[in-house]
Amino acid sequence: MKRLGLLPALVILFVLAGCTADNDGDATSTAINVTGTDTTCELSSTEAPTGTITFAVKNEGSDATEFYLYSEDGTRIIGEVENIGPGLTRSLVVQPDPGSYVTACKPGMTGDGIRGEFVVTGSR
Amino acid sequence: MFANFLIGLREGLEAALVVSILIAYLVKSGCRDQLARVWTGVGMAVAASLATGAILTFGPRGLSFEAQEAIGGFLSVVAVGFITWMIFWMARTARNMKGELEGRADAAVIAGGWSLAAVAAFAVGREGLETALFLWTATKAAGSTLEPLAGAAFGLATAAGLALLIHRGAVRIDLRRFFFATGALLILVAAGVLSYGIHDLQEARILPGLNAIAFDVSSTVAPSSWYGTLLKGTLNFSPRTTWLEMMAWFGYSIPVITVFVRRMRPERTSPARSAVPAGASRILP
């Protein structure tokens, strides 16, 4: 019984939890390249229009890193991608409302990280 | 290479630990025929994780941050439920087997049925999606560099190797000591999984209090260090723990340990049970 229930349960959970389309038709979709090292965190752009924003975070450092998108005051997590090992590129897909945000790379996966400002333009 | 190795090790360790204890238990109690169910559970979790991870990595759709955290958090809480069931199921069998030879446990008690598969599936599947996403990303990078994939694979293999060592040791030790040691260890593992799940749900903003930090020792126990990896990989120790996580940890472990210790030592409180047949006393510590 349980055997039959497990897999569908996972699938249903996954569907209910909601996928985000990378290309939503009418909505804008922006790709931002982020390059992190042990001491730096470079974004290809610090501004994006409202819609789906994909941060492709490449780790060129020697330690594992994480990438965060915070609310303007730096307390609320809008999105996070962890376990970005050296040499890897992992994506964070978010659909934030227009406004100001804070980005952070966290080499070594600890501390406040290397922070920067990020702006989402447009109206809701 | 080393950083990717540590990620693989961390993600694989806890699942390997739970599964190896489950297998050691079945082997010790003479229920090798149930092993297939455990492996079915492991196989299904691995397959489901890899498939979902592949769809999300290579397909046109990604998973929102909240959704991924919610899945991780929800699966963690369910996994805690199954691990707790496993702890008390083993404890019940331990009591039943008292005075009998190893391998002669009550068949009805042993019959964990498909719950065995579920324990294994959730123990593996809990962090399975995150691990699969990490592995597929490493595979994607394999065109330019093989190092991340090799590191990750080596880390997972090391986790499996450590589990095998634990399994070998566990199979050798005295049955009663085995139940006590593994039960206590599993309670700590489950408490860690619960607080980890709480953290995921806090990050997904389903639960509040992400910034109410109880303690932060991340400068001493760096998450990317090898000891930080081992602590995180086995007990889910988070160097930066929120109040809600800490409350969940104690709220789970204290009552569960209390009930567990009581169940494991019934003969001390009940005089009727102290009459152990002479022939059986040698298997008791």
Side-chain angles (χ1 to χ4, degrees):
Chain A
M1 294 286 273
K2 285 235 164 63
R3 185 177 62 146
L4 297 175
L6 257 177
L7 199 60
L10 281 176
V11 173
I12 289 164
L13 184 72
F14 162 62
V15 172
L16 282 180
C19 311
T20 56
D22 289 350
N23 299 299
D24 244 354
D26 54 337
T28 324
S29 151
T30 313
I32 309 272
N33 291 318
V34 182
T35 310
T37 68
D38 292 346
T39 49
T40 60
C41 184
E42 305 274 339
L43 277 74
S44 62
S45 169
T46 54
E47 200 181 279
T50 313
T52 302
I53 304 171
T54 303
F55 294 94
V57 188
K58 184 166 203 295
N59 183 4
E60 292 186 346
S62 61
D63 215 343
T65 193
E66 298 173 319
F67 179 79
Y68 283 77
L69 183 68
Y70 289 109
S71 57
E72 190 175 12
D73 59 1
T75 56
R76 208 159 53 87
I77 297 174
I78 308 300
E80 168 223 32
V81 56
E82 56 186 10
N83 284 336
I84 312 168
L88 294 186
T89 303
R90 292 194 61 172
S91 294
L92 171 67
V93 185
V94 283
Q95 291 170 313
D97 291 333
S100 295
Y101 296 90
V102 173
T103 55
C105 293
K106 294 190 182 177
M109 305 202 282
T110 180
D112 289 338
I114 305 156
R115 300 201 169 199
E117 282 172 15
F118 193 82
V119 177
V120 178
T121 57
S123 55
R124 297 191 72 154
Chain B
M1 172 97 177
F2 189 59
N4 287 306
F5 164 79
L6 286 179
I7 295 174
L9 179 63
R10 169 158 49 79
E11 299 294 330
L13 209 48
E14 168 209 301
L17 196 67
V18 174
V19 173
S20 71
I21 289 176
L22 191 55
I23 290 174
Y25 164 77
L26 290 172
V27 169
K28 281 179 87 73
S29 52
C31 300
R32 280 175 177 276
D33 55 321
Q34 304 271 320
L35 288 181
R37 290 186 171 170
V38 174
W39 290 119
T40 305
V42 172
M44 280 192 317
V46 170
S49 301
L50 285 178
T52 313
I55 293 167
L56 292 171
T57 308
F58 302 105
R61 277 160 192 275
L63 193 61
S64 78
F65 161 73
E66 281 93 350
Q68 201 196 328
E69 297 298 309
I71 289 176
F74 177 75
L75 287 182
S76 296
V77 174
V78 176
V80 171
F82 276 105
I83 295 172
T84 312
W85 169 84
M86 172 180 162
I87 293 165
F88 287 103
W89 173 66
M90 294 200 327
R92 200 167 50 144
T93 316
R95 232 176 11 169
N96 246 52
M97 286 168 83
K98 194 161 60 67
E100 287 182 43
L101 289 173
E102 280 190 32
R104 293 277 313 280
D106 185 346
V109 175
I110 281 297
W114 286 106
S115 300
L116 291 174
V119 173
F122 278 99
V124 174
R126 187 181 82 76
E127 273 289 81
L129 181 58
E130 171 59 24
T131 312
L133 287 173
F134 167 65
L135 282 175
W136 285 124
T137 314
T139 309
K140 224 173 163 181
S144 49
T145 167
L146 273 171
E147 263 191 27
L149 188 61
F154 191 49
L156 285 171
T158 306
L162 284 174
L164 191 69
L165 288 179
I166 290 168
H167 172 80
R168 290 224 174 124
V171 167
R172 271 191 211 133
I173 62 169
D174 160 278
L175 193 64
R176 205 165 166 74
R177 208 163 281 159
F178 168 80
F179 279 124
F180 204 82
T182 53
L185 182 63
L186 285 174
I187 292 172
L188 293 182
V189 169
V193 171
L194 183 64
S195 87
Y196 179 97
I198 298 288
H199 186 80
D200 266 0
L201 295 175
Q202 284 183 313
E203 286 193 327
R205 275 175 275 149
I206 292 169
L207 290 174
L210 183 63
N211 296 300
I213 303 297
F215 62 86
D216 187 350
V217 292
S218 41
S219 52
T220 348
V221 187
S224 57
S225 64
W226 65 268
Y227 46 90
T229 298
L230 287 182
L231 279 173
K232 179 88 193 173
T234 50
L235 302 178
N236 263 302
F237 175 75
S238 159
R240 194 168 184 269
T241 293
T242 66
W243 280 107
L244 198 63
E245 280 177 71
M246 196 161 93
M247 273 152 52
W249 197 90
F250 282 109
Y252 173 85
S253 57
I254 290 175
V256 174
I257 283 177
T258 310
V259 175
F260 177 72
V261 169
R262 272 192 200 154
R263 292 234 174 142
M264 287 303 282
R265 298 194 165 153
E267 75 274 18
R268 292 207 176 161
T269 49
S270 160
R273 284 177 181 270
S274 63
V276 178
S281 60
R282 65 193 158 79
I283 66 161
L284 297 171

